[in-house]
Amino acid sequence: MPERKRVAVLADSDTRWKWGALTARRLVPDHQLTGYLLRGRATPTARQLGEVGVRADRLTEVTCAEFLAEIGRERYDVVVLALVGGAVQAVLHGARALWPTPAKRPVLVTGYVGVVYEKLADGLLLRHGADLVLANSRHDAERFRAVYEGVGADAGAVTETALPFLGGAPYEPAGSRAHTVVFAVQPSVPDSRADRAYLLERAAGHARLHPEREVLIKLRSKPGEHTTHLEEQPYQRLAEKIPGGLPANCRLVYGNMGEVLDGTDLLVTVSSTAALESLHRSIPTAILTDLGIREALGNHHFLGSGCLASWDQLDSGLLPEGDPLWLAAQGVLPGRATAAPVAAEPVAAEPVAAEPVAAEPGAAEPGAAEPAEAAHPSAEPAAGAPHDAYAVARAKVAGLVAAARLPAPAPYYTLTTAPRYLPGILARHHLAPDGTPLPGAVRPSAGESRLRRRLRAHLREAARGAYRHGVQRVAPVIRRLGEL
């Protein structure tokens, strides 16, 4: 039996962990998964990880420098970087410092967790240098290549796939059960208290207008938790301000989005990626226009989708249907929904403390030529075979893993192309301009007691909690005082 491939996923939030882990399973179906959580403001809690429902063989909280030390010491076949652009860039330069010449190194994969509607050029150029930059649709792949080619950078890494969590049973009308409307909220869209309160009141108003329906407010996180984006105005607290409270047929819910969609008859959102999950399953889906169609809201991404609607229209009974051509361009294929791509499994309840190690760059042979196996292969599904959005990416990864040596990572941003921008990005992750860890960035673990490590972990969590309190409680008060 062939040896299972070793895959590492580094993620900085709950949603990116979900994307990274499920992407790893699509790219390397039979593998041993090691999870790493990048220490920061959005590091997920045990509850958030449990809700995501993707299990790793081991889960460790690390800094960027500690992660680089890990992949320098361990022999991973594939590394999936489920991070914001700046963190991806830091890891890529760190990897270049580990393997400055052609060597046997892990295949580096990155991409986006959902809809890409802002900072396109900035985010993409920060991801350049990975062996694969995954695009969630044909539309995204074309845009990604245009950005890279526009600056004269190699666009060969751009690979069309699809969101890895698209799946689930096709929609079936409610029948005898209650018609269920799900309002999928977002942490930072819209960002103002007044707009968020408006949307919540409209959802509650829909429930009052249709007492035979059940209206669920699908929340991303509990107060005090953070996700990919900051949430200064949690809907839980706004619900407490509604006169008379929420109606009996309207309630706040948590849980895995795929499971919530199993019983959904209408998905309503401003611009959440949940809309693509819903459309993939042929569930009627509404992209709200109440606050306008604006780039700041992200709902402009859905122009031409056939799903743009207001609460007034939904109150009147509208059930929007997606435009087939738009859906196909977005990698959404209604009618091809199947059982969920990966069965949900319980995740480790508590990430273990990092055990930093000294980096040992893999031995490289100076002047070694790039082998033919390292070229990016292509593959197409056989005629008549079920659509497999990951077939090409899987073939690329397999070819790169099989190569004797891979070239050093070559990000577009260097000290020549971005002499002012790049050093600041690397410094935020405690790396020097050449990608090596700054002194003290990797804390030696030798001689450190378990009590000391646990105490440091508790102090980090306390500091994180204080930060979240400041964002959700103190900052809004100061902002309101400033408006007096």
Side-chain angles (χ1 to χ4, degrees):
M1 178 179 291
E3 185 179 355
R4 296 172 69 197
K5 301 300 182 185
R6 298 189 64 198
V7 180
V9 173
L10 176 63
D12 57 9
S13 70
D14 57 338
T15 50
R16 291 200 182 96
W17 165 250
K18 176 182 177 181
W19 177 86
L22 294 182
T23 294
R25 293 188 179 186
R26 292 288 192 118
L27 294 175
V28 190
D30 183 25
H31 68 265
Q32 177 184 343
L33 177 62
T34 302
Y36 295 91
L37 301 176
L38 186 65
R39 190 172 299 147
R41 64 161 183 80
T43 305
T45 64
R47 188 206 67 80
Q48 288 174 296
L49 290 172
E51 185 173 288
V52 167
V54 184
R55 182 179 180 274
D57 297 294
R58 180 165 62 93
L59 196 59
T60 305
E61 186 176 315
V62 294
T63 64
C64 181
E66 290 168 355
F67 178 71
L68 289 167
E70 283 280 321
I71 64 172
R73 179 177 65 87
E74 301 285 345
R75 295 297 297 265
Y76 289 111
D77 297 290
V78 179
V79 170
V80 178
L81 302 175
L83 307 164
V84 295
V88 172
Q89 185 74 179
V91 174
L92 293 176
H93 278 272
R96 182 175 178 82
L98 289 172
W99 298 286
T101 57
K104 185 65 177 177
R105 62 167 177 82
V107 178
L108 303 172
V109 180
T110 191
Y112 287 88
V113 72
V115 174
V116 184
Y117 65 84
E118 63 178 353
K119 300 180 181 178
L120 177 65
D122 189 24
L124 275 173
L125 292 174
L126 289 171
R127 287 169 171 81
H128 188 268
D131 298 299
L132 273 76
V133 178
L134 303 183
N136 294 324
S137 66
R138 182 176 72 246
H139 173 70
D140 280 352
E142 292 169 353
R143 293 194 298 160
F144 291 7
R145 293 190 185 100
V147 169
Y148 287 158
E149 292 167 356
V151 298
D154 180 16
V158 176
T159 307
E160 181 183 338
T161 55
L163 289 169
F165 38 79
L166 294 183
Y171 170 64
E172 294 184 4
S176 59
R177 66 177 171 81
H179 185 98
T180 302
V181 178
V182 174
F183 174 36
V185 308
Q186 296 162 263
S188 59
V189 177
D191 59 359
S192 80
R193 180 186 182 89
D195 286 344
R196 293 169 79 81
Y198 166 84
L199 293 178
L200 181 61
E201 178 54 46
R202 289 305 305 258
H206 186 83
R208 296 188 192 98
L209 188 63
H210 296 278
E212 77 286 359
R213 294 185 174 185
E214 185 174 18
V215 178
L216 306 180
I217 313 298
K218 171 61 176 71
L219 303 171
R220 284 285 307 280
S221 60
K222 292 186 176 182
E225 295 177 338
H226 274 321
T227 58
T228 306
H229 303 283
L230 289 171
E231 184 170 24
E232 292 190 11
Q233 304 291 345
Y235 280 94
Q236 297 93 321
R237 296 198 175 112
L238 296 176
E240 297 171 357
K241 307 292 186 182
I242 293 180
L246 295 174
N249 61 328
C250 180
R251 56 193 174 92
L252 308 178
V253 298
Y254 300 94
N256 180 280
M257 179 54 77
E259 296 173 0
V260 172
L261 289 175
D262 287 340
T264 298
D265 298 289
L266 172 62
L267 189 283
V268 183
T269 187
V270 175
S271 59
S272 171
T273 301
L276 300 181
E277 296 184 64
S278 175
L279 288 165
H280 188 75
R281 298 171 65 164
S282 300
I283 298 171
T285 303
I287 303 300
L288 291 174
T289 61
D290 292 56
L291 306 177
I293 301 172
R294 297 182 284 144
E295 283 79 358
L297 298 175
N299 54 359
H300 70 292
H301 179 84
F302 293 87
L303 289 169
S305 68
C307 296
L308 297 169
S310 69
W311 271 117
D312 281 353
Q313 293 171 298
L314 300 179
D315 287 346
S316 299
L318 177 66
L319 294 175
E321 295 182 5
D323 177 80
L325 294 178
W326 186 91
L327 294 176
Q330 300 299 321
V332 177
L333 303 171
R336 291 183 177 175
T338 58
V342 180
E345 300 179 21
V347 72
E350 183 176 337
V352 298
E355 297 283 351
V357 296
E360 295 181 9
E365 298 181 22
E370 180 178 352
E373 294 91 339
H376 294 290
S378 63
E380 294 293 341
H387 177 75
D388 183 355
Y390 277 79
V392 173
R394 195 178 302 116
K396 281 188 175 184
V397 169
L400 293 169
V401 168
R405 286 170 295 184
L406 296 178
Y412 170 74
Y413 283 137
T414 65
L415 293 179
T416 299
T417 59
R420 174 72 173 173
Y421 187 41
L422 179 62
I425 292 172
L426 300 181
R428 283 197 292 274
H429 294 278
H430 305 288
L431 299 181
D434 63 355
T436 58
L438 293 171
V442 180
R443 187 188 302 273
S445 58
E448 187 176 50
S449 68
R450 174 180 291 186
L451 176 62
R452 188 177 183 84
R453 290 197 300 269
R454 187 172 292 274
L455 177 61
R456 185 181 295 112
H458 282 304
L459 288 173
R460 277 198 301 267
E461 187 56 38
R464 203 175 285 144
Y467 173 81
R468 291 165 178 160
H469 178 79
V471 167
Q472 294 184 335
R473 294 286 195 180
V474 180
V477 172
I478 294 174
R479 193 172 295 115
R480 286 197 295 272
L481 288 174
E483 295 171 352
L484 294 178

